[in-house]
Structures are given as C-alpha cells and as structure tokens.
Amino acid sequence: MAKVPSAVVAAGGLLGGYGVARWTGKRQLGGAVLAVAGTAAARQWRARAGGKAAGALTAAYVAAFAGSHPLARKVGAWPSVFGVAGAVALASWAVADRRG
C-alpha cells in the first residue's frame, strides 16, 4: 500500500479538525482529529527529515492552527483554514516529502 504524503496528512488534519468541530458542534472532537493527524505527520517528518525538521514542522502545524483563528476574522473561517493548511502542506512537502 502506498504511503500518504505527510503534506496530505498535515493539511487533512487542519481541514478535518475544523470540519469535524464545525459540523458536530464539538470542538474537542475536532481537536482530537487535529491531534491524531498532527502526531501521524510528525512521525513521518521525523522518519523522512530528522528530528530538527520534525520539530520545526510540528511548530508550524501548531502555529497554523493558532493563526487560523485571528485570520478567520479577516477572511472567513474556511478561507483561513484552507490557507494555513496549504502553507503547512507546502512546508511539509519542501522539507520532508520531496526527498522521498
């Protein structure tokens, strides 16, 4: 079975976490989706690019989640989430996925 690129896992975690929280009305459930995907992506980042890169990408993932909230006030919720998910996916691809 082919591995899912870490860029897809990370972006999917941000998009899926927000979607689950919004559609279920349970922020904790969305947070669980975000955390599970972030953990899976971090494991892939560590295996593909090493500990320092994994730490930096994990920080970017958390910063994207946090930064999507104030950005949503300016551009709307979904555009904000798509923007930060795209940024994290691009960083993930550049640092970890393109190597493999």
Side-chain angles (χ1 to χ4, degrees):
M1 181 163 77
K3 283 193 172 190
V4 177
S6 62
V8 173
V9 174
L14 289 161
L15 292 166
Y18 175 69
V20 166
R22 180 169 179 155
W23 290 316
T24 65
K26 298 184 189 289
R27 294 179 70 174
Q28 299 87 347
L29 192 55
V33 170
L34 182 79
V36 167
T39 300
R43 286 183 180 175
Q44 286 182 314
W45 294 329
R46 186 180 210 27
R48 292 179 183 167
K52 278 188 175 182
L57 288 168
T58 300
Y61 184 80
V62 172
F65 167 70
S68 69
H69 292 82
L71 182 61
R73 286 187 225 116
K74 298 184 183 298
V75 299
W78 277 113
S80 172
V81 174
F82 275 109
V84 299
V88 168
L90 181 61
S92 180
W93 175 82
V95 173
D97 292 338
R98 74 179 171 148
R99 295 174 184 232

